[in-house]
Amino acid sequence: MSSTSAVQTFADDIDARPIAASYSDSVEQPLHCQQAGKVSCGNCRLSKICLPLELQAPDIDRLNAIIQRGRPLQKGEFVYRAGQPFASVYAVRSGTLKAFSIGENGEEQVTGFYLPGEIFGLDGLCKSSYASSAVALETAAICEIPFERLSELSALIPSLQRTFFQVMSKEIADDQQLLMMLSKNTAEQRVAALLLSISTRNARRRLSSTSFRLPMSRTEIGNYLGLTVETVSRVFSRFQKSKVIAAEQRNVELLQPDRLRQVASGG
Amino acid sequence: MSSTSAVQTFADDIDARPIAASYSDSVEQPLHCQQAGKVSCGNCRLSKICLPLELQAPDIDRLNAIIQRGRPLQKGEFVYRAGQPFASVYAVRSGTLKAFSIGENGEEQVTGFYLPGEIFGLDGLCKSSYASSAVALETAAICEIPFERLSELSALIPSLQRTFFQVMSKEIADDQQLLMMLSKNTAEQRVAALLLSISTRNARRRLSSTSFRLPMSRTEIGNYLGLTVETVSRVFSRFQKSKVIAAEQRNVELLQPDRLRQVASGG
DNA sequence: CCACATCGTTGATCTGGATCAATGCATTGA
DNA sequence: TCAATGCATTGATCCAGATCAACGATGTGG
């Protein structure tokens, strides 16, 4: 999973432009990159988010060499499905994905949303098959990092190994954070926390932290937060009535972010 | 955390005797070990649980060499506190520990219980300080594994690196499992799941899977499951009334484990 | 342009678990 | 031995959010 504050790691490019433009549904050219040519870790705007380590140029190249970049995913396309053999972890380059698993009763449970610069697929490692499925919520570009290769490289580059341990540890800490939220917080606190989480993650990518488009439906939000659609909708309405946010469909503006923080932490 | 199915990893010894004896509160001599002398990974009954990998003897010795074993912890003693600099991960040799963090509102949230053969302290890595505190619920013996040393060793022994990645991945998968449970399940399902989890983890250690002593209080169970003490108590009562379990204080007997499984999965 | 499907909102009612309150039952320690 | 203290059980009441139901908005494809 990855919740209030998301995992941040390997990835490569795109997506660092004013909010209005980011509503676009297609993968755009990395106009802002030094060379508007080939995508690589070396020239990726997200690399500071994605790689919280200081690698030397040759090491970056070695990492870059093992990363595979396919064609963009269409909305609804799967990256992997639960049960498939585990082979790679993934970094989001643009777009948004969700991970979810199916409970014994057949119910879907959303376990995380992944924004550009974030890593997913980490849960597959322990059983050598993915525990959840990952699907694109909108057109998305991702970097595939074959795990075996990453493992080998990690053994050679200590700081990479350490970084990867940190990435996994962060996922654990985030899950525990979310856990705490689901078991103790009210509907308003949960929704506030999610909005703030998206806000923070946008800020990291130099996007507006107060005005953005939610990449997921109300139903998906509810599922993720352990609430029904109706409750989510009502909370949105209440937040609007009290002028804490403005929202029209999936577009949201945080009018009083600090008030929202107050709500999130039980004010 | 570590929930329905717990993280299982490095550790070293003790605790593999009939249930009655396991009620004891003190660290016993490893009578059952080949040599009843020094504790080491090589002669530890838990090693198969704790190290899900096939290491060669010399590698086991190298791992064993970096592991530190101090005096047993008394009930209530802390292993580490939230915020302390991260230095080591730990394996449980005997006894039980709980991990918990304190929310913004000051509320305690139990994030996991750790039984012999299980690893904890993984959440500290990403921020280089522990995100939660760990405390002994009863007299307990643990193995301290300095992370820096483990890291170095991992780079030299590929299967160790892989194992450690797996351990972390398992923690992630378990958290997501728990997450699912907390956001979708009823009180009865949660309590049933916890009982079954303890049962399974006991079975792994060759202890009775149907009759055991819970190492934690009702309050702690409730906190962990996102319920109040009263609700936990009522669920226990209902389970007893329907002859699914028998319980007197912390001693529990699963009379109809399959019925319990049915309940846990929403029957 | 309209038909159909999906998504979101709003209202009315119901309920599982929280909360408040009281009592029982062990363990500790002077 | 008898407080005192902490843990567990049980009952009565309350409420946040689920559930059921109806309807409005969006958008997608023919």
Side-chain angles (χ1 to χ4, degrees), chain B residues 186-187 226-228 230-231 234:
Chain B
T186 65
L227 302 169
T228 58
E230 294 95 325
T231 300
R234 276 185 253 267

Coordinates of all heavy atoms in Angstrom, one line a residue, chain B residues 186-187 226-228 230-231 234, chain C residues 16-21 26-27:
Chain B
T186 N -16.3 -7.4 10.4 CA -17.0 -7.2 11.6 C -16.1 -7.6 12.8 O -15.1 -8.2 12.6 CB -18.3 -8.1 11.6 OG1 -17.8 -9.5 11.7 CG2 -19.2 -7.9 10.4
A187 N -16.6 -7.3 14.0 CA -15.9 -7.6 15.2 C -15.6 -9.1 15.3 O -14.5 -9.5 15.6 CB -16.7 -7.1 16.4
G226 N -8.9 -2.6 16.3 CA -9.7 -1.4 16.1 C -11.1 -1.6 16.7 O -12.1 -1.2 16.2
L227 N -11.1 -2.2 17.9 CA -12.4 -2.4 18.7 C -12.2 -2.0 20.1 O -11.0 -1.8 20.6 CB -12.7 -3.9 18.7 CG -12.9 -4.6 17.3 CD1 -13.0 -6.1 17.5 CD2 -14.1 -4.0 16.6
T228 N -13.2 -1.8 20.8 CA -13.1 -1.5 22.3 C -13.0 -2.8 23.1 O -13.3 -3.9 22.6 CB -14.3 -0.7 22.8 OG1 -15.5 -1.5 22.5 CG2 -14.5 0.6 22.1
E230 N -14.8 -3.8 25.5 CA -16.1 -4.3 25.7 C -16.5 -5.2 24.5 O -17.1 -6.3 24.7 CB -17.1 -3.2 25.9 CG -17.0 -2.4 27.2 CD -16.2 -1.1 26.9 OE1 -15.2 -1.2 26.1 OE2 -16.5 -0.1 27.6
T231 N -16.3 -4.7 23.3 CA -16.7 -5.5 22.2 C -15.9 -6.8 22.1 O -16.5 -7.8 21.8 CB -16.5 -4.6 20.9 OG1 -17.3 -3.5 21.0 CG2 -16.9 -5.4 19.7
R234 N -17.3 -9.2 24.6 CA -18.6 -9.7 24.1 C -18.5 -10.8 23.1 O -19.2 -11.8 23.1 CB -19.5 -8.6 23.6 CG -20.2 -7.8 24.8 CD -21.2 -6.8 24.2 NE -20.7 -5.4 24.4 CZ -21.0 -4.7 25.5 NH1 -21.8 -5.2 26.4 NH2 -20.6 -3.5 25.6
Chain C
dG16 P -26.4 -5.5 13.3 OP1 -26.8 -6.3 12.1 OP2 -27.0 -5.8 14.6 O5' -24.8 -5.4 13.3 C5' -24.1 -4.8 12.3 C4' -22.9 -4.0 12.9 O4' -23.4 -2.8 13.4 C3' -22.2 -4.7 13.9 O3' -20.8 -4.4 13.7 C2' -22.7 -4.2 15.2 C1' -23.1 -2.7 14.8 N9 -24.3 -2.2 15.5 C8 -25.4 -2.9 15.9 N7 -26.3 -2.1 16.4 C5 -25.8 -0.8 16.3 C6 -26.4 0.4 16.7 O6 -27.5 0.6 17.2 N1 -25.5 1.5 16.4 C2 -24.3 1.4 15.8 N2 -23.6 2.5 15.7 N3 -23.7 0.2 15.5 C4 -24.5 -0.8 15.7
dG17 P -19.6 -5.2 14.5 OP1 -18.6 -5.4 13.5 OP2 -20.2 -6.3 15.2 O5' -19.1 -4.1 15.5 C5' -18.7 -2.8 14.9 C4' -18.8 -1.8 16.0 O4' -20.1 -1.5 16.4 C3' -18.0 -2.0 17.3 O3' -17.1 -1.0 17.5 C2' -19.1 -2.1 18.3 C1' -20.1 -1.2 17.7 N9 -21.5 -1.4 18.2 C8 -22.2 -2.6 18.4 N7 -23.4 -2.4 18.9 C5 -23.5 -1.0 19.0 C6 -24.6 -0.2 19.4 O6 -25.7 -0.6 19.8 N1 -24.3 1.1 19.4 C2 -23.1 1.7 19.0 N2 -23.0 3.0 19.0 N3 -22.1 1.0 18.6 C4 -22.4 -0.4 18.6
dA18 P -16.2 -0.7 18.7 OP1 -14.9 -0.4 18.2 OP2 -16.5 -1.7 19.7 O5' -16.8 0.7 19.3 C5' -16.9 1.8 18.4 C4' -17.4 3.0 19.1 O4' -18.8 2.8 19.4 C3' -16.7 3.4 20.4 O3' -16.6 4.8 20.5 C2' -17.6 2.7 21.5 C1' -19.0 2.8 20.8 N9 -19.8 1.7 21.2 C8 -19.5 0.4 21.0 N7 -20.5 -0.5 21.4 C5 -21.5 0.4 21.8 C6 -22.8 0.2 22.4 N6 -23.3 -1.0 22.6 N1 -23.5 1.3 22.8 C2 -23.0 2.5 22.6 N3 -21.8 2.8 22.1 C4 -21.1 1.7 21.7
dT19 P -15.8 5.4 21.7 OP1 -15.3 6.7 21.2 OP2 -14.9 4.5 22.3 O5' -16.9 5.7 22.8 C5' -18.1 6.4 22.4 C4' -19.0 6.4 23.6 O4' -19.8 5.2 23.7 C3' -18.4 6.7 25.0 O3' -19.0 7.8 25.6 C2' -18.6 5.4 25.7 C1' -19.9 4.8 25.1 N1 -20.1 3.4 25.1 C2 -21.3 2.9 25.5 O2 -22.2 3.6 25.9 N3 -21.4 1.5 25.5 C4 -20.5 0.6 25.1 O4 -20.7 -0.6 25.1 C5 -19.2 1.2 24.7 C7 -18.1 0.3 24.2 C6 -19.1 2.5 24.7
dC20 P -18.4 8.4 27.0 OP1 -18.6 9.9 26.8 OP2 -17.1 7.9 27.2 O5' -19.4 7.9 28.1 C5' -20.9 8.0 27.8 C4' -21.6 7.3 28.9 O4' -21.7 5.9 28.7 C3' -21.0 7.4 30.3 O3' -22.0 7.6 31.3 C2' -20.3 6.1 30.5 C1' -21.3 5.1 29.8 N1 -20.8 3.8 29.4 C2 -21.6 2.7 29.5 O2 -22.7 2.8 29.9 N3 -21.1 1.5 29.1 C4 -19.9 1.4 28.6 N4 -19.4 0.2 28.2 C5 -19.0 2.6 28.5 C6 -19.5 3.7 28.9
dA21 P -21.7 7.9 32.8 OP1 -22.7 8.9 33.3 OP2 -20.3 8.2 33.0 O5' -22.0 6.5 33.5 C5' -23.3 5.8 33.2 C4' -23.3 4.5 34.0 O4' -22.8 3.5 33.2 C3' -22.6 4.5 35.3 O3' -23.4 3.9 36.3 C2' -21.3 3.8 35.0 C1' -21.9 2.7 34.0 N9 -20.9 2.0 33.2 C8 -19.8 2.6 32.6 N7 -19.1 1.7 31.9 C5 -19.8 0.5 32.1 C6 -19.6 -0.8 31.6 N6 -18.5 -1.1 30.8 N1 -20.5 -1.7 31.9 C2 -21.5 -1.4 32.7 N3 -21.9 -0.2 33.2 C4 -20.9 0.7 32.8
dA26 P -11.5 -15.6 39.8 OP1 -12.0 -16.8 39.1 OP2 -11.6 -15.6 41.3 O5' -9.9 -15.4 39.5 C5' -9.3 -14.3 40.1 C4' -8.2 -13.9 39.3 O4' -8.2 -12.4 39.2 C3' -6.9 -14.2 40.0 O3' -5.8 -14.2 39.1 C2' -6.8 -13.1 41.0 C1' -7.4 -11.9 40.3 N9 -8.2 -11.0 41.1 C8 -9.3 -11.4 41.8 N7 -9.8 -10.4 42.5 C5 -9.0 -9.3 42.2 C6 -9.0 -8.0 42.6 N6 -9.9 -7.4 43.4 N1 -8.0 -7.2 42.1 C2 -7.1 -7.7 41.3 N3 -7.0 -8.9 40.8 C4 -8.0 -9.7 41.3
dT27 P -4.4 -14.9 39.5 OP1 -3.8 -15.4 38.3 OP2 -4.6 -15.7 40.7 O5' -3.5 -13.6 39.9 C5' -3.3 -12.5 38.9 C4' -2.7 -11.3 39.6 O4' -3.6 -10.6 40.4 C3' -1.5 -11.6 40.5 O3' -0.4 -10.8 40.1 C2' -2.0 -11.3 41.9 C1' -3.0 -10.3 41.6 N1 -4.2 -10.1 42.6 C2 -4.5 -8.8 43.1 O2 -3.8 -7.9 42.7 N3 -5.5 -8.8 43.9 C4 -6.3 -9.9 44.4 O4 -7.2 -9.7 45.2 C5 -5.9 -11.2 43.8 C7 -6.7 -12.4 44.3 C6 -4.9 -11.2 43.0

